[in-house]
Amino acid sequence: MASMAGEFVFAPLGGVGEIGMNLSIYGFGDGRRRQWLIVDCGVSFAAEEHLPGVDLILPDIRYLIEERRNLLGLILTHAHEDHMGALIDLWPRLNVPIYATPFSAALFEARRLSEPGAPEIPVNVVPLRGRVKLDPFTIEFISVAHSIPESNALAISTPAGTVLHTGDWKIDPTPLVGAKTDAARLSALGDGGVLALVGDSTNAIRDGRSPSEADVAKTLAELVRTAPARVAVTTFASHVDRIWAVADAARLADREVVVVGRAMERVVQVARETGYLDGVQEFRQAESYGYLPPDKVLALCTGSQGEPRAALSRIAEDEHPEVTLTRGDRVIFSSRAIPGNEKAVDRVINGLVAQGVEVVTDRTHLVHVSRIVIPAHGEALHLAEHAKLARQAGVPHVLLCRNGDLVRLAPGTPEIIDEIPSGRLYKDGALLIEAEARTIAARRRLGLSGVVSVALALSEKGALAADPEIELIGVPEFDGSGRRMDEIAREALEEAFEALPRPRRRDPNEVAEALRRAVRGALAERWKKKPICYVHVLVV
Ligand SMILES: [Zn+2]
């Protein structure tokens, strides 16, 4: 009896149509019961103005929680936050075995230890170019050059065929650290027949225009050598290739590298332990910065994206306890601002310029390999561009999908066959909340229009037992003619109360609603904005 061939399916649960938050799943089975493989589990960073108080955005994994018993494993392609940053928060809900190469595993462990109260999370360490067998899947790790050591593409094989999941990559012929892209293995895989290519090929196509890491290192060395006084360089902490280039530039200019910022200290330590900085001179801690002559020091700082608590932001605000910069010093941004972070970066640059510091960015020099701006999976424009290029290259099936689309890769013509629950979670302090929850919307409203709070004591007969308490928070103090807004609120409140027929004054709910409308209306008339208004009525 011929057995029904298994279906091989794919769904993105994050990362498509947006930047960051990469999470993909691959399934194999007969539709009623599938076994799942998860690839990556990243975060996205929240833009303060849209999501006040939210630190991180995580993919909503309710579908995976439902399917928990059918999860075989979670593979990390590499250790960037947009690929592994959600794992500490979400793993306890999945309890799935994790597989990663040594550097990624070590950096993940260091991240976990830096988070107070994080649970134990075991990671299975896979050697470079290793394979993992999670029946019916076989996953082969293929080294690709990227801005962090040990970035991997994955060849995911099933009885229905093999998919190449690219992860993040760029084909850099001269990386300074880590493996080059294993072009031989990739083309061998292509010869063997690949069912589908999933992920970031847009960037591979753009690479013809990217300067190599060696070119960047040359420019950086020149900028450091010609600096008249102190130099600070900022880049992504995880960009070990670039840290290497900075170290070289410092050595050639006879400067000591001082590491500033916790994320940078952590990566440097892990990179040393795992051999990625072998042969690189020792670095110094931030404490020694002040003791070194200006032309003998190079500060390697966190904060390339304008993160408000990172080292460079604090230096720009002149609030860093150990590191200061003054007129004549030079700051080099050796990483491009991720879209959405430009304003924050500009704020830092302005702070530095105001102190007389010279700021060098990729707008003025070639200090960045153009990688970071192109998202791994990408926003709509990138997806469309990518699809067009693939079509022009003669790829017979080009499929654009959205987060939550379930795509059948085999057998038959690839197509979207279902939609599975997907969405976003917000990290709000120590808690995870659903994006649909009203919390953040309410907070945004509060931020825009303030609150009026009224407390009222009523006797059982409906008479005021005391003067009402009125408090305005975040509402302007005076109207356009100089009258106090709290007095306007009080007057409106008293008038509305007097206007209520006596019998209705005994119903606390009715009183509260009538007064709420009156106060809100009176303030809105002057302000042309409506505050949030609460009236609490107590019957005494
Ligand atoms: Zn990456």
Side-chain angles (χ1 to χ4, degrees):
M1 199 171 70
S3 69
M4 174 100 158
E7 267 185 343
F8 187 10
V9 296
F10 159 78
L13 290 181
V16 173
E18 64 199 348
I19 292 175
M21 227 172 74
N22 292 287
L23 196 172
S24 300
I25 59 174
Y26 291 90
F28 191 83
D30 65 5
R32 273 160 306 178
R33 185 162 183 276
R34 294 193 176 96
Q35 290 186 290
W36 296 102
L37 181 73
I38 307 170
V39 177
D40 291 332
C41 188
V43 290
S44 184
F45 296 92
E48 183 69 36
E49 51 273 39
H50 302 305
L51 301 172
V54 172
D55 300 316
L56 293 173
I57 309 173
L58 297 82
D60 187 335
I61 53 161
R62 78 188 97 153
Y63 182 71
L64 296 177
I65 293 169
E66 270 171 38
E67 289 283 309
R68 198 166 34 208
R69 272 172 301 141
N70 302 317
L71 303 178
L72 299 174
L74 187 153
I75 316 274
L76 289 178
T77 59
H78 65 291
H80 274 150
E81 287 293 299
D82 59 336
H83 290 257
M84 78 168 192
L87 211 43
I88 293 172
D89 285 305
L90 298 184
W91 185 84
R93 302 179 182 194
L94 299 175
N95 214 336
V96 58
I98 301 170
Y99 300 86
T101 51
F103 179 82
S104 305
L107 195 55
F108 175 67
E109 180 66 2
R111 271 275 286 109
R112 191 184 69 79
L113 292 174
S114 73
E115 211 147 291
E120 290 273 335
I121 303 178
V123 176
N124 300 288
V125 178
V126 182
L128 289 181
R129 289 175 290 281
R131 276 169 196 264
V132 176
K133 184 125 188 65
L134 298 171
D135 207 32
F137 299 99
T138 302
I139 304 98
E140 178 186 348
F141 287 70
I142 301 167
S143 300
V144 290
H146 184 37
S147 55
I148 189 168
E150 293 184 9
S151 193
N152 294 285
L154 305 173
I156 301 170
S157 301
T158 70
T162 297
V163 164
L164 181 67
H165 181 101
T166 66
D168 286 356
W169 70 352
K170 63 187 170 104
I171 297 174
D172 186 344
T174 51
L176 299 181
V177 175
K180 294 180 187 178
T181 296
D182 190 347
R185 184 65 195 119
L186 286 174
S187 64
L189 206 66
D191 294 343
V194 169
L195 188 62
L197 180 107
V198 175
D200 179 15
S201 54
T202 318
N203 196 53
I205 291 158
R206 281 171 183 249
D207 248 277
R209 280 175 274 155
S210 295
S212 75
E213 194 61 31
D215 291 335
V216 173
K218 217 181 286 170
T219 312
L220 197 57
E222 189 58 19
L223 287 168
V224 173
R225 193 183 63 79
T226 56
R230 294 187 187 87
V231 184
V233 180
T234 184
T235 186
F236 288 103
S238 57
H239 198 337
V240 176
D241 254 353
R242 198 58 57 79
I243 294 174
W244 187 296
V246 171
D248 270 348
R251 191 173 39 78
L252 292 170
D254 198 20
R255 289 171 183 266
E256 299 260 9
V257 177
V258 173
V259 179
V260 191
R262 252 180 299 163
M264 194 65 82
E265 286 168 8
R266 198 158 60 218
V267 170
V268 165
Q269 193 195 341
V270 169
R272 289 226 186 260
E273 285 165 9
T274 48
Y276 282 98
L277 288 174
D278 280 357
V280 171
Q281 75 268 31
E282 284 301 312
F283 296 163
R284 299 233 200 168
Q285 293 184 321
E287 292 84 66
S288 48
Y289 178 87
Y291 299 103
L292 293 162
D295 62 342
K296 293 283 176 252
V297 63
L298 182 153
L300 176 60
C301 304
T302 53
S304 67
Q305 297 303 307
E307 305 92 322
R309 277 165 301 203
L312 197 62
S313 295
R314 299 174 63 195
I315 295 169
E317 302 280 321
D318 206 9
E319 276 175 2
H320 197 280
E322 277 122 0
V323 178
T324 55
L325 292 171
T326 53
R327 187 164 298 281
D329 294 339
R330 177 177 286 177
V331 171
I332 303 165
F333 276 77
S334 190
S335 59
R336 187 170 288 177
I338 293 174
N341 295 348
E342 296 95 338
K343 260 197 231 162
V345 171
D346 283 349
R347 207 175 305 140
V348 173
I349 292 177
N350 289 335
L352 292 165
V353 170
Q355 295 181 49
V357 174
E358 181 198 4
V359 177
V360 182
T361 71
D362 65 337
R363 289 175 230 167
T364 47
H365 287 79
L366 180 69
V367 287
H368 184 72
V369 173
S370 128
R371 165 62 198 87
I372 305 299
V373 268
I374 314 295
H377 294 276
E379 291 179 302
L381 175 65
H382 301 120
L383 297 171
E385 262 175 25
H386 178 186
K388 199 168 97 189
L389 284 163
R391 281 197 195 97
Q392 284 166 356
V395 176
H397 301 288
V398 179
L399 220 146
L400 281 178
C401 61
R402 290 175 304 178
N403 289 333
D405 283 345
L406 186 71
V407 179
R408 186 181 57 220
L409 302 166
T413 311
E415 59 179 325
I416 297 168
I417 54 169
D418 201 356
E419 195 178 325
I420 60 180
S422 68
R424 299 166 152 217
L425 298 171
Y426 296 145
K427 180 93 188 260
D428 183 26
L431 303 178
L432 287 181
I433 57 178
E434 288 181 4
E436 302 86 66
R438 287 157 57 203
T439 320
I440 304 302
R443 196 176 297 165
R444 203 162 39 222
R445 275 181 60 212
L446 288 170
L448 292 175
S449 62
V451 182
V452 179
S453 172
V454 177
L456 206 74
L458 274 188
S459 71
E460 283 197 26
K461 288 185 180 153
L464 281 179
D467 274 350
E469 293 278 345
I470 303 177
E471 193 169 1
L472 276 56
I473 305 162
V475 174
E477 241 182 298
F478 302 100
D479 76 353
S481 63
R483 283 195 63 203
R484 293 191 61 88
M485 292 285 259
D486 54 358
E487 284 309 316
I488 292 165
R490 181 175 301 279
E491 207 168 89
L493 188 131
E494 283 166 1
E495 273 174 22
F497 187 77
E498 289 304 320
L500 269 180
R502 277 190 191 280
R504 290 173 64 192
R505 294 187 198 168
R506 283 186 210 148
D507 178 347
N509 292 331
E510 202 161 331
V511 172
E513 180 56 19
L515 300 190
R516 192 186 69 81
R517 282 162 185 270
V519 170
R520 198 161 178 252
L523 294 179
E525 199 188 313
R526 268 85 174 175
W527 192 15
K528 304 296 175 225
K529 284 177 73 170
K530 288 179 181 166
I532 296 170
C533 185
Y534 295 106
V535 179
H536 309 273
V537 178
L538 275 176
V539 180
V540 291

